[in-house]
Amino acid sequence: MRPDSGSGMISIMIQVKNPVLEQIEPVGPQYLAHARRKLFSRSFSEDEAHVARAAAEAAAAAQLAEDAENDDSFEIEPDHKDDLRRDAKDWKAQDHYRMLGLGSIRWRATRGMIKKAHRTKVLVHHPDKKSGASGGSSSHDDAFFKCLQKSYEILSDPVKRRQYDSVDNIPEDAYNPLKDGADMPFIEAWSPVFEREIRFSVKDRNSAPTIGTMESTKAEVERFYGFWYDFESWRSFEYLDKEEGDGPENRDDKRYMEKKNKAERAKLKKEDIARLRKLVDTAFALDPRMAAFKEQEKEEKEAKKKERQDKEKKARLEAEREAALAKVREEELESEARLKREEDKKEKEARKKAIRKEKKNIKTLIKDSNYFYAKGSTIAPSTLEIYLSELETMMDKLSLEDLERIRTDLSSPKKSNEDKKKILSAEARKLVQDGLANPENLTQFGTDNVARKKEVKETVASSTPQESTSSTPSNVPTKEWSVEEVQLLIKAANKFPGGVSDRWETIAAYIALHTGLPQRDPDDVIKKSKAVQKGSSQEATVRQLQFQKKTYDVTDAPSVRYDIEGEVPPVAAVQPSDAKKPLSKKKAPAAAAAATETAKKPAAPSPPALTSTAIPPKTSALAAVTGGGAPAPAPASLWSAAEQKLLESGLKAYPPSWQGEGERWDKIAEAVPGRTKKECKLRVKYLQDQAKAQKAAAAAK
């Protein structure tokens, strides 16, 4: 410290040391108040009010304890006769509360009550008092005083008293709700039981739910029983542990005794839990409130069930009504559709009938006009048949209106036969130009010019240079289709309709099986099927054969079938007039040669009006039949040797005298896989005809 020369002030010179970091722990009531406010989120006023309330409760509790110690309202029970004769060594079996005269108060006794009862008992049973009163000492008095001192020692120590209270079961024998409370209401009878058991609860007994009243709600009752079903007891049963006797201490013996006591405590704990659970189950079953709740729940369930059933019934009735209405509407629609179908059917039938009528009228008009020949002229049967077949083909392509128009034109008396012929020729050319008919099927109506024009156009188109394209299977030339293959194609298309798996492969295999030829490509079969639908020469031939089938009897001109392995020799067909006559040895070769020569000869010349075009080569066989020559054998399905054997086995298994279930020919057809009943019949008929022909030939020799 020195004075300042300039200002006369005194300045203090102090040397500051280096700072030192020290850890300070917050302590004291103020810090505790701060931590309490932060922990419980209280303000200063709320914390002060809480502290004041806690202090008041502590003071009240202290006053209550002091009043209890000074309470003279309880009565000390007199000594029990069994306790007066009890041995001091048997102190574990004695009732410590009864020994001090607190048998009725027991675990509810306060420390003050225990002190007062002990003081009272000591004044009476002290050995000095006894010896002075009786003039001598008594062993029983000393033993009782020792038991009295032991009881006070245990009950005055909180730990030992808790261990003793853990095994104190005397009150359970003092009151039984099933016997003592049988005539009492449920609440009054069972309240003491749960008040007695609540003292063993780990949780605060003040926060435990009470048994309630008869007006308690379902939630309150369920909370009460839920607490007792989840009850946690602090009972440890350590008071009943067995102790070692006199003698030197042994560590192994101590461990063994401790292990044994621990197992015994666990056993007693388990038995106590079972006892309490049984007690709660009994109370739950006898509680009239639970029965009322169950009845109420049952009524609610019944009400909900009835409501649900009513809704379902209403919905069912509504659904039935809707279904009935829908059924009525459906029936009305179905009736309308049925009426419409019937009307359409009637209209279609009427149209078909009108078409047939118009066709018949046209044929009649053509016949009356002598097929546009001069009167008195005759027509070769073969030419007439071809003409009628092509006329039928053309009329099938025409509509009813066209037929009516043609019939009107043909019935006009002002038109000559040449004009009428031109009318039909014009209709044929129109069909060919529109692509509705094949010119090869209408050769008798002058469609050859139309066909030649079409061929010229195709030739010119093919001669025009085109961009080179890669060859496809469709450009590869295929073998011509025979009339027999076309017949089988039509039959297979009807036998295997659309929707059959691998339809065209199946049809190709069917044709190959019945002809014995190599199987055709499915694309070739599809192409030929489309050509047959549009119309082709083979179709015309098939129609002619069908027309012939209606005219001639099969027995007069039987078809010839050839066996694959040649086991059955072919037999030449005979004339219709000679079908039933046996041929002589010389006439048989002549008839066969005549049939061959007739088939090779060209058709007889016809009048100029109908012979402008020669008969197609594919119809030469038909012309030979209808023209008076020897009938040529018709195409026939082929049978293999294996199929023939299966047929013979079937005929033997099912003779004409067979009387089993089903039709005989159905069973025979089942024995020959891939063959129908009709095919089997035709095969048998063919074999019979072959046998007859062979017999006739043998007889002629």
Side-chain angles (χ1 to χ4, degrees), residues 657-675:
S657 60
W658 182 72
Q659 299 294 334
E661 294 183 0
E663 208 272 328
R664 174 179 175 245
W665 284 104
D666 290 336
K667 297 293 184 179
I668 295 173
E670 290 178 359
V672 186
R675 295 293 182 177

mmCIF file with all atom_site columns, all heavy atoms in Angstrom, residues 657-675:
data_model
loop_
_atom_site.group_PDB
_atom_site.id
_atom_site.type_symbol
_atom_site.label_atom_id
_atom_site.label_alt_id
_atom_site.label_comp_id
_atom_site.label_asym_id
_atom_site.label_entity_id
_atom_site.label_seq_id
_atom_site.pdbx_PDB_ins_code
_atom_site.Cartn_x
_atom_site.Cartn_y
_atom_site.Cartn_z
_atom_site.occupancy
_atom_site.B_iso_or_equiv
_atom_site.pdbx_formal_charge
_atom_site.auth_seq_id
_atom_site.auth_comp_id
_atom_site.auth_asym_id
_atom_site.auth_atom_id
_atom_site.pdbx_PDB_model_num
ATOM 1   N N   . SER A 1 657 ? -76.983 -114.227 -80.567 1.00 0.00 ? 657 SER A N   1
ATOM 2   C CA  . SER A 1 657 ? -77.772 -114.727 -79.437 1.00 0.00 ? 657 SER A CA  1
ATOM 3   C C   . SER A 1 657 ? -77.374 -114.095 -78.106 1.00 0.00 ? 657 SER A C   1
ATOM 4   O O   . SER A 1 657 ? -77.889 -114.492 -77.059 1.00 0.00 ? 657 SER A O   1
ATOM 5   C CB  . SER A 1 657 ? -77.592 -116.257 -79.335 1.00 0.00 ? 657 SER A CB  1
ATOM 6   O OG  . SER A 1 657 ? -76.217 -116.597 -79.135 1.00 0.00 ? 657 SER A OG  1
ATOM 7   N N   . TRP A 1 658 ? -76.478 -113.125 -78.139 1.00 0.00 ? 658 TRP A N   1
ATOM 8   C CA  . TRP A 1 658 ? -76.005 -112.492 -76.890 1.00 0.00 ? 658 TRP A CA  1
ATOM 9   C C   . TRP A 1 658 ? -77.133 -111.691 -76.246 1.00 0.00 ? 658 TRP A C   1
ATOM 10  O O   . TRP A 1 658 ? -77.834 -110.911 -76.917 1.00 0.00 ? 658 TRP A O   1
ATOM 11  C CB  . TRP A 1 658 ? -74.824 -111.583 -77.213 1.00 0.00 ? 658 TRP A CB  1
ATOM 12  C CG  . TRP A 1 658 ? -74.229 -110.927 -75.993 1.00 0.00 ? 658 TRP A CG  1
ATOM 13  C CD1 . TRP A 1 658 ? -73.491 -111.505 -75.029 1.00 0.00 ? 658 TRP A CD1 1
ATOM 14  C CD2 . TRP A 1 658 ? -74.337 -109.549 -75.633 1.00 0.00 ? 658 TRP A CD2 1
ATOM 15  N NE1 . TRP A 1 658 ? -73.106 -110.593 -74.084 1.00 0.00 ? 658 TRP A NE1 1
ATOM 16  C CE2 . TRP A 1 658 ? -73.627 -109.377 -74.438 1.00 0.00 ? 658 TRP A CE2 1
ATOM 17  C CE3 . TRP A 1 658 ? -74.966 -108.462 -76.209 1.00 0.00 ? 658 TRP A CE3 1
ATOM 18  C CZ2 . TRP A 1 658 ? -73.524 -108.161 -73.808 1.00 0.00 ? 658 TRP A CZ2 1
ATOM 19  C CZ3 . TRP A 1 658 ? -74.872 -107.236 -75.572 1.00 0.00 ? 658 TRP A CZ3 1
ATOM 20  C CH2 . TRP A 1 658 ? -74.156 -107.094 -74.387 1.00 0.00 ? 658 TRP A CH2 1
ATOM 21  N N   . GLN A 1 659 ? -77.330 -111.864 -74.903 1.00 0.00 ? 659 GLN A N   1
ATOM 22  C CA  . GLN A 1 659 ? -78.431 -111.219 -74.181 1.00 0.00 ? 659 GLN A CA  1
ATOM 23  C C   . GLN A 1 659 ? -77.931 -110.360 -73.017 1.00 0.00 ? 659 GLN A C   1
ATOM 24  O O   . GLN A 1 659 ? -78.615 -110.218 -72.014 1.00 0.00 ? 659 GLN A O   1
ATOM 25  C CB  . GLN A 1 659 ? -79.390 -112.298 -73.638 1.00 0.00 ? 659 GLN A CB  1
ATOM 26  C CG  . GLN A 1 659 ? -80.035 -113.163 -74.683 1.00 0.00 ? 659 GLN A CG  1
ATOM 27  C CD  . GLN A 1 659 ? -80.992 -112.375 -75.579 1.00 0.00 ? 659 GLN A CD  1
ATOM 28  O OE1 . GLN A 1 659 ? -81.536 -111.355 -75.163 1.00 0.00 ? 659 GLN A OE1 1
ATOM 29  N NE2 . GLN A 1 659 ? -81.174 -112.852 -76.802 1.00 0.00 ? 659 GLN A NE2 1
ATOM 30  N N   . GLY A 1 660 ? -76.741 -109.792 -73.141 1.00 0.00 ? 660 GLY A N   1
ATOM 31  C CA  . GLY A 1 660 ? -76.202 -108.982 -72.043 1.00 0.00 ? 660 GLY A CA  1
ATOM 32  C C   . GLY A 1 660 ? -76.764 -107.561 -72.050 1.00 0.00 ? 660 GLY A C   1
ATOM 33  O O   . GLY A 1 660 ? -77.692 -107.210 -72.800 1.00 0.00 ? 660 GLY A O   1
ATOM 34  N N   . GLU A 1 661 ? -76.190 -106.715 -71.161 1.00 0.00 ? 661 GLU A N   1
ATOM 35  C CA  . GLU A 1 661 ? -76.619 -105.319 -71.067 1.00 0.00 ? 661 GLU A CA  1
ATOM 36  C C   . GLU A 1 661 ? -76.034 -104.524 -72.226 1.00 0.00 ? 661 GLU A C   1
ATOM 37  O O   . GLU A 1 661 ? -74.885 -104.717 -72.617 1.00 0.00 ? 661 GLU A O   1
ATOM 38  C CB  . GLU A 1 661 ? -76.146 -104.714 -69.743 1.00 0.00 ? 661 GLU A CB  1
ATOM 39  C CG  . GLU A 1 661 ? -76.796 -105.348 -68.525 1.00 0.00 ? 661 GLU A CG  1
ATOM 40  C CD  . GLU A 1 661 ? -76.353 -104.660 -67.254 1.00 0.00 ? 661 GLU A CD  1
ATOM 41  O OE1 . GLU A 1 661 ? -75.543 -103.708 -67.360 1.00 0.00 ? 661 GLU A OE1 1
ATOM 42  O OE2 . GLU A 1 661 ? -76.808 -105.071 -66.174 1.00 0.00 ? 661 GLU A OE2 1
ATOM 43  N N   . GLY A 1 662 ? -76.822 -103.602 -72.748 1.00 0.00 ? 662 GLY A N   1
ATOM 44  C CA  . GLY A 1 662 ? -76.369 -102.757 -73.831 1.00 0.00 ? 662 GLY A CA  1
ATOM 45  C C   . GLY A 1 662 ? -76.678 -103.356 -75.193 1.00 0.00 ? 662 GLY A C   1
ATOM 46  O O   . GLY A 1 662 ? -77.237 -104.454 -75.331 1.00 0.00 ? 662 GLY A O   1
ATOM 47  N N   . GLU A 1 663 ? -76.343 -102.621 -76.242 1.00 0.00 ? 663 GLU A N   1
ATOM 48  C CA  . GLU A 1 663 ? -76.612 -103.026 -77.611 1.00 0.00 ? 663 GLU A CA  1
ATOM 49  C C   . GLU A 1 663 ? -75.420 -103.803 -78.148 1.00 0.00 ? 663 GLU A C   1
ATOM 50  O O   . GLU A 1 663 ? -74.273 -103.489 -77.874 1.00 0.00 ? 663 GLU A O   1
ATOM 51  C CB  . GLU A 1 663 ? -76.860 -101.772 -78.471 1.00 0.00 ? 663 GLU A CB  1
ATOM 52  C CG  . GLU A 1 663 ? -77.777 -102.027 -79.654 1.00 0.00 ? 663 GLU A CG  1
ATOM 53  C CD  . GLU A 1 663 ? -76.980 -102.490 -80.862 1.00 0.00 ? 663 GLU A CD  1
ATOM 54  O OE1 . GLU A 1 663 ? -75.823 -102.065 -81.009 1.00 0.00 ? 663 GLU A OE1 1
ATOM 55  O OE2 . GLU A 1 663 ? -77.517 -103.274 -81.654 1.00 0.00 ? 663 GLU A OE2 1
ATOM 56  N N   . ARG A 1 664 ? -75.679 -104.844 -78.913 1.00 0.00 ? 664 ARG A N   1
ATOM 57  C CA  . ARG A 1 664 ? -74.629 -105.763 -79.348 1.00 0.00 ? 664 ARG A CA  1
ATOM 58  C C   . ARG A 1 664 ? -73.576 -105.051 -80.172 1.00 0.00 ? 664 ARG A C   1
ATOM 59  O O   . ARG A 1 664 ? -72.366 -105.215 -79.967 1.00 0.00 ? 664 ARG A O   1
ATOM 60  C CB  . ARG A 1 664 ? -75.262 -106.908 -80.143 1.00 0.00 ? 664 ARG A CB  1
ATOM 61  C CG  . ARG A 1 664 ? -74.244 -107.855 -80.780 1.00 0.00 ? 664 ARG A CG  1
ATOM 62  C CD  . ARG A 1 664 ? -74.924 -108.979 -81.524 1.00 0.00 ? 664 ARG A CD  1
ATOM 63  N NE  . ARG A 1 664 ? -73.978 -109.805 -82.224 1.00 0.00 ? 664 ARG A NE  1
ATOM 64  C CZ  . ARG A 1 664 ? -73.904 -109.924 -83.549 1.00 0.00 ? 664 ARG A CZ  1
ATOM 65  N NH1 . ARG A 1 664 ? -74.755 -109.260 -84.314 1.00 0.00 ? 664 ARG A NH1 1
ATOM 66  N NH2 . ARG A 1 664 ? -72.994 -110.694 -84.112 1.00 0.00 ? 664 ARG A NH2 1
ATOM 67  N N   . TRP A 1 665 ? -73.978 -104.232 -81.147 1.00 0.00 ? 665 TRP A N   1
ATOM 68  C CA  . TRP A 1 665 ? -73.013 -103.587 -82.033 1.00 0.00 ? 665 TRP A CA  1
ATOM 69  C C   . TRP A 1 665 ? -72.177 -102.524 -81.302 1.00 0.00 ? 665 TRP A C   1
ATOM 70  O O   . TRP A 1 665 ? -71.058 -102.230 -81.699 1.00 0.00 ? 665 TRP A O   1
ATOM 71  C CB  . TRP A 1 665 ? -73.731 -102.972 -83.228 1.00 0.00 ? 665 TRP A CB  1
ATOM 72  C CG  . TRP A 1 665 ? -74.144 -104.017 -84.221 1.00 0.00 ? 665 TRP A CG  1
ATOM 73  C CD1 . TRP A 1 665 ? -75.389 -104.518 -84.420 1.00 0.00 ? 665 TRP A CD1 1
ATOM 74  C CD2 . TRP A 1 665 ? -73.271 -104.708 -85.124 1.00 0.00 ? 665 TRP A CD2 1
ATOM 75  N NE1 . TRP A 1 665 ? -75.376 -105.474 -85.385 1.00 0.00 ? 665 TRP A NE1 1
ATOM 76  C CE2 . TRP A 1 665 ? -74.079 -105.614 -85.853 1.00 0.00 ? 665 TRP A CE2 1
ATOM 77  C CE3 . TRP A 1 665 ? -71.914 -104.669 -85.389 1.00 0.00 ? 665 TRP A CE3 1
ATOM 78  C CZ2 . TRP A 1 665 ? -73.562 -106.448 -86.827 1.00 0.00 ? 665 TRP A CZ2 1
ATOM 79  C CZ3 . TRP A 1 665 ? -71.401 -105.497 -86.359 1.00 0.00 ? 665 TRP A CZ3 1
ATOM 80  C CH2 . TRP A 1 665 ? -72.203 -106.388 -87.073 1.00 0.00 ? 665 TRP A CH2 1
ATOM 81  N N   . ASP A 1 666 ? -72.737 -101.938 -80.223 1.00 0.00 ? 666 ASP A N   1
ATOM 82  C CA  . ASP A 1 666 ? -71.937 -101.006 -79.411 1.00 0.00 ? 666 ASP A CA  1
ATOM 83  C C   . ASP A 1 666 ? -70.783 -101.748 -78.745 1.00 0.00 ? 666 ASP A C   1
ATOM 84  O O   . ASP A 1 666 ? -69.649 -101.244 -78.674 1.00 0.00 ? 666 ASP A O   1
ATOM 85  C CB  . ASP A 1 666 ? -72.814 -100.340 -78.345 1.00 0.00 ? 666 ASP A CB  1
ATOM 86  C CG  . ASP A 1 666 ? -73.793 -99.366  -78.966 1.00 0.00 ? 666 ASP A CG  1
ATOM 87  O OD1 . ASP A 1 666 ? -73.509 -98.882  -80.075 1.00 0.00 ? 666 ASP A OD1 1
ATOM 88  O OD2 . ASP A 1 666 ? -74.832 -99.087  -78.334 1.00 0.00 ? 666 ASP A OD2 1
ATOM 89  N N   . LYS A 1 667 ? -71.055 -102.975 -78.254 1.00 0.00 ? 667 LYS A N   1
ATOM 90  C CA  . LYS A 1 667 ? -70.007 -103.764 -77.624 1.00 0.00 ? 667 LYS A CA  1
ATOM 91  C C   . LYS A 1 667 ? -68.945 -104.170 -78.650 1.00 0.00 ? 667 LYS A C   1
ATOM 92  O O   . LYS A 1 667 ? -67.746 -104.170 -78.362 1.00 0.00 ? 667 LYS A O   1
ATOM 93  C CB  . LYS A 1 667 ? -70.607 -105.017 -76.975 1.00 0.00 ? 667 LYS A CB  1
ATOM 94  C CG  . LYS A 1 667 ? -71.596 -104.718 -75.854 1.00 0.00 ? 667 LYS A CG  1
ATOM 95  C CD  . LYS A 1 667 ? -70.887 -104.085 -74.673 1.00 0.00 ? 667 LYS A CD  1
ATOM 96  C CE  . LYS A 1 667 ? -71.841 -103.869 -73.516 1.00 0.00 ? 667 LYS A CE  1
ATOM 97  N NZ  . LYS A 1 667 ? -71.169 -103.277 -72.353 1.00 0.00 ? 667 LYS A NZ  1
ATOM 98  N N   . ILE A 1 668 ? -69.394 -104.540 -79.882 1.00 0.00 ? 668 ILE A N   1
ATOM 99  C CA  . ILE A 1 668 ? -68.439 -104.934 -80.914 1.00 0.00 ? 668 ILE A CA  1
ATOM 100 C C   . ILE A 1 668 ? -67.562 -103.747 -81.295 1.00 0.00 ? 668 ILE A C   1
ATOM 101 O O   . ILE A 1 668 ? -66.343 -103.881 -81.481 1.00 0.00 ? 668 ILE A O   1
ATOM 102 C CB  . ILE A 1 668 ? -69.189 -105.493 -82.137 1.00 0.00 ? 668 ILE A CB  1
ATOM 103 C CG1 . ILE A 1 668 ? -69.914 -106.801 -81.756 1.00 0.00 ? 668 ILE A CG1 1
ATOM 104 C CG2 . ILE A 1 668 ? -68.236 -105.728 -83.302 1.00 0.00 ? 668 ILE A CG2 1
ATOM 105 C CD1 . ILE A 1 668 ? -70.811 -107.348 -82.829 1.00 0.00 ? 668 ILE A CD1 1
ATOM 106 N N   . ALA A 1 669 ? -68.178 -102.534 -81.414 1.00 0.00 ? 669 ALA A N   1
ATOM 107 C CA  . ALA A 1 669 ? -67.403 -101.337 -81.756 1.00 0.00 ? 669 ALA A CA  1
ATOM 108 C C   . ALA A 1 669 ? -66.392 -101.004 -80.666 1.00 0.00 ? 669 ALA A C   1
ATOM 109 O O   . ALA A 1 669 ? -65.284 -100.529 -80.940 1.00 0.00 ? 669 ALA A O   1
ATOM 110 C CB  . ALA A 1 669 ? -68.341 -100.159 -81.994 1.00 0.00 ? 669 ALA A CB  1
ATOM 111 N N   . GLU A 1 670 ? -66.751 -101.264 -79.396 1.00 0.00 ? 670 GLU A N   1
ATOM 112 C CA  . GLU A 1 670 ? -65.807 -101.007 -78.304 1.00 0.00 ? 670 GLU A CA  1
ATOM 113 C C   . GLU A 1 670 ? -64.604 -101.947 -78.376 1.00 0.00 ? 670 GLU A C   1
ATOM 114 O O   . GLU A 1 670 ? -63.510 -101.602 -77.940 1.00 0.00 ? 670 GLU A O   1
ATOM 115 C CB  . GLU A 1 670 ? -66.510 -101.173 -76.962 1.00 0.00 ? 670 GLU A CB  1
ATOM 116 C CG  . GLU A 1 670 ? -67.535 -100.084 -76.670 1.00 0.00 ? 670 GLU A CG  1
ATOM 117 C CD  . GLU A 1 670 ? -68.234 -100.321 -75.348 1.00 0.00 ? 670 GLU A CD  1
ATOM 118 O OE1 . GLU A 1 670 ? -67.919 -101.339 -74.696 1.00 0.00 ? 670 GLU A OE1 1
ATOM 119 O OE2 . GLU A 1 670 ? -69.102 -99.507  -74.979 1.00 0.00 ? 670 GLU A OE2 1
ATOM 120 N N   . ALA A 1 671 ? -64.817 -103.134 -78.952 1.00 0.00 ? 671 ALA A N   1
ATOM 121 C CA  . ALA A 1 671 ? -63.710 -104.091 -79.058 1.00 0.00 ? 671 ALA A CA  1
ATOM 122 C C   . ALA A 1 671 ? -62.717 -103.712 -80.145 1.00 0.00 ? 671 ALA A C   1
ATOM 123 O O   . ALA A 1 671 ? -61.599 -104.235 -80.168 1.00 0.00 ? 671 ALA A O   1
ATOM 124 C CB  . ALA A 1 671 ? -64.257 -105.496 -79.328 1.00 0.00 ? 671 ALA A CB  1
ATOM 125 N N   . VAL A 1 672 ? -63.125 -102.796 -81.068 1.00 0.00 ? 672 VAL A N   1
ATOM 126 C CA  . VAL A 1 672 ? -62.243 -102.366 -82.161 1.00 0.00 ? 672 VAL A CA  1
ATOM 127 C C   . VAL A 1 672 ? -61.953 -100.880 -81.955 1.00 0.00 ? 672 VAL A C   1
ATOM 128 O O   . VAL A 1 672 ? -62.761 -100.028 -82.330 1.00 0.00 ? 672 VAL A O   1
ATOM 129 C CB  . VAL A 1 672 ? -62.896 -102.604 -83.533 1.00 0.00 ? 672 VAL A CB  1
ATOM 130 C CG1 . VAL A 1 672 ? -61.903 -102.276 -84.647 1.00 0.00 ? 672 VAL A CG1 1
ATOM 131 C CG2 . VAL A 1 672 ? -63.377 -104.030 -83.661 1.00 0.00 ? 672 VAL A CG2 1
ATOM 132 N N   . PRO A 1 673 ? -60.864 -100.508 -81.320 1.00 0.00 ? 673 PRO A N   1
ATOM 133 C CA  . PRO A 1 673 ? -60.563 -99.093  -81.062 1.00 0.00 ? 673 PRO A CA  1
ATOM 134 C C   . PRO A 1 673 ? -60.457 -98.299  -82.373 1.00 0.00 ? 673 PRO A C   1
ATOM 135 O O   . PRO A 1 673 ? -59.865 -98.755  -83.357 1.00 0.00 ? 673 PRO A O   1
ATOM 136 C CB  . PRO A 1 673 ? -59.222 -99.136  -80.324 1.00 0.00 ? 673 PRO A CB  1
ATOM 137 C CG  . PRO A 1 673 ? -59.125 -100.517 -79.773 1.00 0.00 ? 673 PRO A CG  1
ATOM 138 C CD  . PRO A 1 673 ? -59.844 -101.393 -80.743 1.00 0.00 ? 673 PRO A CD  1
ATOM 139 N N   . GLY A 1 674 ? -61.061 -97.112  -82.364 1.00 0.00 ? 674 GLY A N   1
ATOM 140 C CA  . GLY A 1 674 ? -60.978 -96.233  -83.531 1.00 0.00 ? 674 GLY A CA  1
ATOM 141 C C   . GLY A 1 674 ? -62.055 -96.474  -84.566 1.00 0.00 ? 674 GLY A C   1
ATOM 142 O O   . GLY A 1 674 ? -62.105 -95.761  -85.579 1.00 0.00 ? 674 GLY A O   1
ATOM 143 N N   . ARG A 1 675 ? -62.933 -97.473  -84.354 1.00 0.00 ? 675 ARG A N   1
ATOM 144 C CA  . ARG A 1 675 ? -63.990 -97.785  -85.309 1.00 0.00 ? 675 ARG A CA  1
ATOM 145 C C   . ARG A 1 675 ? -65.352 -97.566  -84.659 1.00 0.00 ? 675 ARG A C   1
ATOM 146 O O   . ARG A 1 675 ? -65.542 -97.845  -83.478 1.00 0.00 ? 675 ARG A O   1
ATOM 147 C CB  . ARG A 1 675 ? -63.879 -99.241  -85.794 1.00 0.00 ? 675 ARG A CB  1
ATOM 148 C CG  . ARG A 1 675 ? -62.622 -99.525  -86.583 1.00 0.00 ? 675 ARG A CG  1
ATOM 149 C CD  . ARG A 1 675 ? -62.614 -98.786  -87.910 1.00 0.00 ? 675 ARG A CD  1
ATOM 150 N NE  . ARG A 1 675 ? -61.421 -99.103  -88.689 1.00 0.00 ? 675 ARG A NE  1
ATOM 151 C CZ  . ARG A 1 675 ? -61.198 -98.638  -89.913 1.00 0.00 ? 675 ARG A CZ  1
ATOM 152 N NH1 . ARG A 1 675 ? -62.088 -97.854  -90.502 1.00 0.00 ? 675 ARG A NH1 1
ATOM 153 N NH2 . ARG A 1 675 ? -60.094 -98.955  -90.559 1.00 0.00 ? 675 ARG A NH2 1
#
